[in-house]
Amino acid sequence: MGIALISAPTVTDFGSLEEIHNIQVRASASEPPLGILTLAAVLEETQWAPFIIDLNQTFFDFADAPQSVRRQAEFVDFAASTIARNAADVYGFSTICSSYPLTIRIAGALKAIRPSSVIVFGGPQASVVAAETLRHFPDIDYIIRGEADDSLRMFLHELGCSGNFIQVPGLTYRDGSEVRQNANSPVVKDLDAIPFPAYHLTTYLVGASSASLELGRGCPYACTFCSTNDFFRRRFRLRSPNRVLCDMRRIHTQYKISRFTLVHDMFTADRKRVVEFCDVMENSSDGFTWSCSARTDSVDDGLLNQMWRAGCRGIFYGVETGSQRIQKIINKNLDIDRAKQVITSTERQGIDSIVSLISGFPEETWEDLRETLSVFMYSARHPHSEPQLNILAPLAGTPIHEVHKEQMTLEGLCSDMSHQGKSQDPKNNDLIRAHPKIFPNFYSLPLRNLDRDALFELHEFLMITAKRFKWLLVAINEAYAHILDFFLEWRHDRSSRFPLTEWSAIRHYYRTPAFRSDLLIFIRNSPACSVDSIDALVTFHEKVGVLSSLRQPDDRDYESVQGTVHLAWNEIPFSKYHSPVLELDFDIQEIIEDLKAGVQRAVRRSPHFYVLLNSQDGELSVNRVSDWIGILLRECDGRKNLVEVLKEWSEQVTDVEDENKEYAFVRLLETVSERNLLALRRPRL
Amino acid sequence: MDSFIIAPKSPGGLYMESSDANGRILKIILNRTDKGKPATNDEVRRAIDQKLSMEKTELFADDQCDLVIFVQNEGWHKK
């Protein structure tokens, strides 16, 4: 029996050309689908040899295909044809909420091509809407709910033999015109018995810098918005530390990877077992690093220190809301002051953190939102903490959905969890509109107090500004106005200049350079700029904007000069952007130190030079250089030759003896060239 | 001096020579040393070394790409 396992698409939201070719979108698509790879490994242990189809890659293949191909078919048909080329008897689709409409459509198109094949769904979304899905979508034959490590094997066995499906736990299937649901499958108690993911069937880890490994399953808590309990039940389980280490070593040996994302909804629920895990990692000499998720009420300084020593370099904290009142309503029950302390402790230990927050709870007031944004900004003022604000999506099967399912409304783009792109496929929307019980995550919950349009725009505003203008945002929040009030001021100004009513238009606007320049102009002209630190940071971003607008000369006209080279004194050096050096009359790091410490004082004015460098993670880091280097780079403007640059430099640099200036100059030239601060190029003859 | 060589990766730090008269820049330094002022040379080197340093700040410049796109952490945010 031929079996194809098909991953759930995660990037098909990004349908526009700019989005498809974005490097972040491409990078996120390379995340291995652990569930599919684990099931493939389970099947390989028996008589089956499954193959894996990655719908993200299929999506990129479609996007990269010639226009003639894209004109003839839409992605659904292209994906179905691609899958069908791999002849199989059973096609097993993994499903998640955001791409569920698309997955159903692809499965339908596949069934049309291969009508005799069996189509099985599994994964988080299909598990919670199994019966409804089978009732409305006849092309889907079976759904295996919950953990399928055992039940998929049993299902395939029954499919190949007697077809006695009543024996298969967790299976939803048709019996004549009836849809039957067998009892839930028991959870896998011994996770060490589950085989190593079938990475060998894919190329995900070839050349990758990190790998995902399953650390355990099941969260013992019962937050009302969260769907994880339906899938993994509430049975907290961990793999043994030695098994995790063994898998890490296996990946390291094969792929030279030393960095791991350890997947578990709530790793730190059992402190004793976290300590056991850390002991094993600390005592190993492998030097692996890893990230995990945790609750802020289950870690403290001591544990964080031990986790750091054991290689932990990143923690995801779901804080969800800064309002103590909403904490109680959603049954999360975190203490906000403690959460803040833990954010600081994590920073102090040298561990990166992501602080995830949610807004859009039906009971949420403006004051609750204000408190949530205070936590957002608290995280933002820690250099290694990244705040995220998400709009609540009512996930199928969650208590919050059950309570409010009759009051949901469909309003275009809703939660970033359900759709991250700038527009939605109309055919998906037709499905969503027709089946709110199957696709509730695309709907909005009622908001008794908040303005939904403002909330949606706030999300777009914050996610962009926290990334692009983090310290400016912190300065505004600390020295001018609470970030919510500032946002409302900005929004009033923005909407008076050009009203945007469509959510897709708002999302698009915030992602364009126009927003960047509009925001800087708005702050420059607002009373906020009377605050020294805000004025300084706006100046910084304005100057970065000017630098970036300078384009490189056409490479065809110039010869790049690298390594050990002869340079004639009459040659003309120039930098990447003619002048990559930023000249500021303040120390930018001193301002950041003040913001981190919550200190407000006048900015001390003195000349400082900075250069921008591409860092490994694709960010443009800002680096302080000496006045000697700064002046040298400034003078290498593409117009002066080396003799003239030396002359200008010598006149401005006064703290070196004349007789040493030429020596110092060449030494500097060497250094800036080595560091790629100065691209030495000469016109081609 | 008409030209010189820069050799960024040369072992031992500074290595320079002119293309028309070998060791011309180097010779300037050596001449000073030869004149009995080796300390001066070391001081110069030390002073220059300080000026070569570069400190990373905790600020990032927002890149000027045409479109900013955020992709949430798939595993954590998409169920």
Side-chain angles (χ1 to χ4, degrees):
Chain A
M1 190 189 311
I3 300 161
L5 296 177
I6 301 146
S7 66
T10 59
V11 296
T12 43
D13 294 355
F14 299 107
S16 72
L17 275 181
E18 314 100 294
E19 290 174 322
I20 287 166
H21 295 296
N22 181 276
I23 192 166
Q24 281 177 285
V25 172
R26 297 268 169 167
S28 81
S30 61
E31 196 66 31
L34 261 188
I36 286 284
L37 294 176
T38 301
L39 289 179
V42 166
L43 295 185
E44 282 190 324
E45 282 190 336
T46 56
Q47 75 264 41
W48 293 292
F51 55 90
I52 289 172
I53 297 167
D54 178 343
L55 280 183
N56 281 339
Q57 187 51 52
T58 308
F59 179 65
F60 292 138
D61 290 344
F62 177 68
D64 296 338
Q67 242 187 355
S68 55
V69 173
R70 281 184 279 128
R71 262 201 303 268
Q72 282 172 6
E74 60 177 307
F75 174 62
V76 166
D77 302 317
F78 181 86
S81 306
T82 303
I83 297 169
R85 273 202 294 275
N86 300 281
D89 303 296
V90 178
Y91 293 97
F93 285 81
S94 180
T95 63
I96 57 174
C97 67
S98 61
S99 55
Y100 201 47
L102 181 66
T103 303
I104 287 177
R105 289 173 58 211
I106 292 172
L110 174 63
K111 191 78 167 184
I113 300 171
R114 293 199 169 274
S116 59
S117 65
V118 171
I119 291 188
V120 190
F121 273 18
Q125 182 64 14
S127 291
V128 288
V129 292
E132 283 293 315
T133 301
L134 289 196
R135 274 186 204 111
H136 292 97
F137 298 101
D139 297 326
I140 320 302
D141 298 308
Y142 301 93
I143 291 176
I144 297 178
R145 309 183 317 273
E147 296 176 33
D149 310 81
D150 292 326
S151 47
L152 177 60
R153 259 191 309 219
M154 295 166 77
F155 166 74
L156 292 173
H157 178 77
E158 290 300 330
L159 191 66
C161 302
S162 56
N164 186 11
F165 293 116
I166 201 164
Q167 305 287 341
V168 182
L171 186 70
T172 302
Y173 60 104
R174 290 191 192 84
D175 183 4
S177 59
E178 294 291 308
V179 171
R180 298 202 183 277
Q181 297 225 84
N182 292 344
N184 290 336
S185 55
V187 297
V188 179
K189 287 179 187 154
D190 178 12
L191 294 182
D192 283 359
I194 293 176
F196 180 75
Y199 280 120
H200 64 279
L201 296 179
T202 69
T203 55
Y204 287 111
L205 296 189
V206 178
S209 57
S210 70
S212 299
L213 274 176
E214 188 172 39
L215 185 56
R217 297 176 183 176
C219 174
Y221 296 91
C223 305
T224 61
F225 59 88
C226 183
S227 67
T228 188
N229 288 333
D230 277 303
F231 195 74
F232 292 128
R233 315 298 161 199
R234 284 170 64 187
R235 290 288 303 278
F236 176 80
R237 291 151 286 154
L238 281 180
R239 290 189 142 169
S240 70
N242 282 321
R243 170 59 198 276
V244 177
L245 181 60
C246 179
D247 283 0
M248 286 176 164
R249 284 176 173 156
R250 188 167 170 178
I251 288 176
H252 180 72
T253 302
Q254 204 165 346
Y255 301 101
K256 306 293 172 218
I257 290 171
S258 300
R259 198 151 57 89
F260 297 90
T261 301
L262 299 182
V263 180
H264 190 302
D265 284 320
M266 231 309 274
F267 170 45
T268 54
D270 183 342
R271 185 189 180 100
K272 189 166 157 260
R273 300 190 68 183
V274 178
V275 169
E276 281 171 12
F277 175 80
C278 289
D279 283 342
V280 169
M281 292 302 297
E282 199 175 346
N283 291 330
S284 81
S285 55
D286 301 282
F288 297 140
T289 59
W290 45 276
S291 61
C292 65
S293 61
R295 276 174 67 106
T296 52
D297 58 358
S298 63
V299 295
D300 54 32
D301 273 343
L303 188 62
L304 286 168
N305 181 261
Q306 186 168 12
M307 288 169 73
W308 185 86
R309 285 188 274 117
C312 180
R313 295 294 178 269
I315 301 180
F316 176 90
Y317 292 118
V319 176
E320 327 303 2
T321 171
S323 158
Q324 214 60 72
R325 193 179 74 88
I326 300 288
Q327 282 283 341
K328 197 169 175 188
I329 290 172
I330 63 174
N331 204 28
K332 181 93 185 187
N333 295 313
L334 291 179
D335 181 276
I336 299 304
D337 290 336
R338 167 98 188 261
K340 288 180 177 174
Q341 286 167 15
V342 166
I343 292 167
T344 301
S345 296
T346 307
E347 178 88 12
R348 208 180 295 131
Q349 293 296 342
I351 299 174
D352 292 347
S353 66
I354 290 179
V355 175
S356 179
L357 297 155
I358 301 174
S359 182
F361 296 106
E363 303 84 356
E364 194 173 359
T365 64
W366 285 100
E367 193 49 39
D368 295 320
L369 175 59
R370 183 178 296 272
E371 289 172 350
T372 294
L373 296 189
S374 293
V375 176
F376 185 99
M377 295 311 302
Y378 187 86
S379 159
R381 69 182 234 205
H382 293 74
H384 302 103
S385 184
E386 180 189 325
Q388 292 182 347
L389 180 71
N390 306 286
I391 306 289
L392 178 71
L395 302 183
T398 59
I400 215 163
H401 170 240
E402 282 302 311
V403 170
H404 298 286
K405 63 185 175 191
E406 302 304 331
Q407 303 138 31
M408 297 188 309
T409 50
L410 188 58
E411 305 190 41
L413 296 177
C414 49
S415 164
D416 50 320
M417 183 174 188
S418 298
H419 194 89
Q420 298 180 66
K422 69 177 183 184
S423 57
Q424 284 172 302
D425 186 322
K427 289 187 180 168
N428 290 346
N429 282 350
D430 290 344
L431 280 188
I432 293 165
R433 195 172 297 110
H435 303 287
K437 286 183 183 168
I438 299 176
F439 311 110
N441 53 292
F442 293 95
Y443 284 72
S444 298
L445 288 180
L447 291 179
R448 293 175 197 151
N449 308 295
L450 299 178
D451 173 341
R452 190 180 305 287
D453 290 341
L455 185 61
F456 180 83
E457 187 164 349
L458 172 69
H459 168 265
E460 300 299 311
F461 173 86
L462 277 182
M463 293 312 291
I464 300 292
T465 49
K467 187 85 177 165
R468 304 187 98 175
F469 306 110
K470 172 171 171 141
W471 292 108
L472 178 55
L473 211 61
V474 172
I476 288 169
N477 188 62
E478 291 191 8
Y480 174 63
H482 189 282
I483 205 62
L484 179 58
D485 297 324
F486 174 77
F487 163 74
L488 292 173
E489 269 181 42
W490 149 259
R491 183 169 184 255
H492 177 74
D493 178 82
R494 199 272 309 144
S495 54
S496 65
R497 282 183 288 112
F498 52 98
L500 292 171
T501 50
E502 290 291 321
W503 286 3
S504 58
I506 288 173
R507 177 166 282 179
H508 182 66
Y509 165 70
Y510 276 94
R511 294 163 192 224
T512 60
F515 164 61
R516 180 190 191 279
S517 59
D518 288 350
L519 181 69
L520 290 177
I521 291 168
F522 173 73
I523 302 172
R524 173 60 74 204
N525 295 327
S526 95
C529 241
S530 62
V531 177
D532 243 11
S533 57
I534 296 173
D535 171 68
L537 286 162
V538 169
T539 302
F540 165 78
H541 286 291
E542 287 169 344
K543 291 204 170 190
V544 167
V546 172
L547 271 193
S548 304
S549 65
L550 300 170
R551 293 296 173 204
Q552 291 186 61
D554 193 332
D555 273 350
R556 286 170 304 185
D557 299 334
Y558 296 90
E559 174 191 0
S560 186
V561 177
Q562 289 175 327
T564 303
V565 288
H566 287 255
L567 278 179
W569 281 97
N570 62 359
E571 284 186 289
I572 299 173
F574 52 90
S575 67
K576 194 175 174 190
Y577 295 119
H578 292 284
S579 173
V581 67
L582 264 182
E583 294 181 58
L584 301 171
D585 67 344
F586 47 83
D587 180 347
I588 203 94
Q589 186 60 35
E590 192 172 270
I591 293 173
I592 292 172
E593 292 300 333
D594 284 352
L595 291 172
K596 279 157 62 179
V599 173
Q600 288 179 36
R601 59 173 168 168
V603 171
R604 291 191 298 178
R605 302 285 168 173
S606 62
H608 287 78
F609 294 88
Y610 299 88
V611 291
L612 310 183
L613 292 175
N614 276 313
S615 57
Q616 280 182 335
D617 52 6
E619 302 268 21
L620 267 181
S621 69
V622 179
N623 302 270
R624 186 179 163 181
V625 294
S626 67
D627 53 345
W628 288 18
I629 288 181
I631 293 167
L632 170 70
L633 293 176
R634 185 179 60 197
E635 296 306 327
C636 290
D637 59 2
R639 291 188 289 272
K640 303 184 195 79
N641 66 27
L642 282 169
V643 171
E644 291 163 332
V645 172
L646 171 60
K647 182 170 175 293
E648 292 289 340
W649 181 83
S650 297
E651 283 172 8
Q652 294 171 66
V653 171
T654 54
D655 51 346
V656 59
E657 293 171 12
D658 285 347
E659 60 181 0
N660 291 325
K661 278 187 173 167
E662 193 173 283
Y663 165 69
F665 177 77
V666 176
R667 189 84 195 278
L668 287 180
L669 209 55
E670 235 178 15
T671 302
V672 295
S673 168
E674 181 186 346
R675 290 182 186 158
N676 262 340
L677 298 179
L678 188 70
L680 290 167
R681 295 194 287 188
R682 56 170 74 109
R684 287 185 196 283
L685 295 175
Chain B
M1 182 171 54
D2 297 326
S3 68
F4 58 90
I5 291 175
I6 60 168
K9 301 288 183 195
S10 63
L14 180 66
Y15 171 78
M16 283 174 285
E17 60 184 35
S18 70
S19 59
D20 55 346
N22 286 343
R24 190 153 181 182
I25 295 174
L26 197 58
K27 201 171 159 187
I28 293 169
I29 307 301
L30 289 175
N31 278 347
R32 279 189 208 117
T33 310
D34 292 343
K35 285 175 186 169
K37 294 197 293 182
T40 307
N41 190 30
D42 285 344
E43 280 168 22
V44 170
R45 283 169 185 251
R46 269 199 298 275
I48 292 173
D49 281 346
Q50 283 177 5
K51 294 288 186 179
L52 298 180
S53 68
M54 186 164 70
E55 292 166 39
K56 194 171 178 178
T57 73
E58 287 172 309
L59 189 70
F60 290 95
D62 56 309
D63 57 357
Q64 301 294 295
C65 58
D66 292 336
L67 195 76
V68 180
I69 291 172
F70 284 110
V71 183
Q72 307 279 25
N73 296 290
E74 299 294 335
W76 284 329
H77 286 278
K78 288 204 166 179
K79 302 285 186 193

